[in-house]
Amino acid sequence: AAGTGPDKEAAALGSRAGLQAQRQRVNPSAQSHPSRPAAADLSDEQIWALFRTPVWLRESQVEQQFLATARCGSLESGGLALATYSFGQGEQTVLLVHGWGGRAAQLRDFVPPLLARGYRVLLLDAPGHGRSPGIRPSMFQIAQTLADVGRHAGPFAGAIAHSMGAASTAMAIGRGLPVRRAAFIAPMCRLADALTRFVSRLGLCPE
């Protein structure tokens, strides 16, 4: 429909930094998600773009120290050079996938026990998350990203995925992601539930 394309959205909200400023304007006390902001100031287009854009937060010192020990690289997917982080030299690889609004370093506690068992561990920042470029990704785009990861770095002995990352991983497996076993932590099963929570935080009627 006219007026809802990506160019118009980009003009409305701009970069990830612009979106962060938009969130702070709507609710200055919000750190990760808006809580009952003045949504009347936003257009339908801006609300939809806000829903589709993960919040970006600065890396903690612990996260920076963790990523400094990784073999950092990049992987091309959908025209974006996505940040990847590899640990260990094992013959079998385990893929770790963060959730919506997350980043690779949040899964750092899984790395030492996997390395101790002889695995190589691969993590990535999904599009629009962490150090990877992108403004308004979707779980469908992330699923395609994971399928691309599988073609470049697979097969995988296992995958550990959280929240929407679990949903994207399941979709990617259906698209050919070569993984022997997968463990999902608090997987997102219904997108409608996430949308309902979002509009509730904005103080809008779910209908």
Side-chain angles (χ1 to χ4, degrees):
T4 60
D7 292 341
K8 189 70 177 293
E9 290 177 3
L13 286 177
S15 65
R16 280 195 287 174
L19 179 79
Q20 187 78 345
Q22 176 75 22
R23 286 183 182 270
Q24 293 300 316
R25 184 185 69 80
V26 172
N27 182 10
S29 64
Q31 295 299 314
S32 60
H33 292 285
S35 177
R36 301 192 68 81
D41 294 338
L42 302 178
S43 68
D44 290 347
E45 181 178 276
Q46 287 176 312
I47 291 171
W48 176 235
L50 199 63
F51 174 70
R52 293 176 52 214
T53 308
V55 175
W56 184 87
L57 299 176
R58 293 185 181 277
E59 293 174 353
S60 68
Q61 184 176 2
V62 171
E63 290 175 326
Q64 292 175 353
Q65 291 171 344
F66 167 74
L67 295 179
T69 66
R71 294 189 301 278
C72 298
S74 64
L75 186 144
E76 181 86 9
S77 178
L80 300 174
L82 305 178
T84 63
Y85 315 93
S86 178
F87 296 84
Q89 302 288 343
E91 294 183 2
Q92 299 187 81
T93 303
V94 174
L95 177 66
L96 305 184
V97 184
H98 64 77
W100 184 260
R103 51 192 170 212
Q106 292 176 328
L107 300 176
R108 61 188 177 276
D109 288 344
F110 289 100
V111 174
L114 289 169
L115 295 179
R117 287 163 175 77
Y119 291 105
R120 173 176 173 263
V121 184
L122 179 65
L123 308 89
L124 77 155
D125 288 328
H129 292 74
R131 299 179 180 180
S132 290
I135 298 177
R136 282 173 287 277
S138 69
M139 67 177 180
F140 305 103
Q141 179 187 4
I142 295 171
Q144 185 58 52
T145 293
L146 295 174
D148 292 340
V149 170
R151 282 189 287 274
H152 287 88
F156 300 107
I160 301 173
H162 173 240
S163 189
M164 188 175 286
S168 294
T169 300
M171 293 175 63
I173 291 172
R175 298 181 183 186
L177 175 66
V179 58
R180 190 183 316 150
R181 296 181 179 179
F184 295 157
I185 303 169
M188 192 210 71
C189 299
R190 283 170 43 88
L191 183 59
D193 292 342
L195 183 58
T196 298
R197 288 193 297 271
F198 174 79
V199 298
S200 177
R201 290 188 180 107
L202 287 178
L204 301 173
C205 176
E207 287 77 14

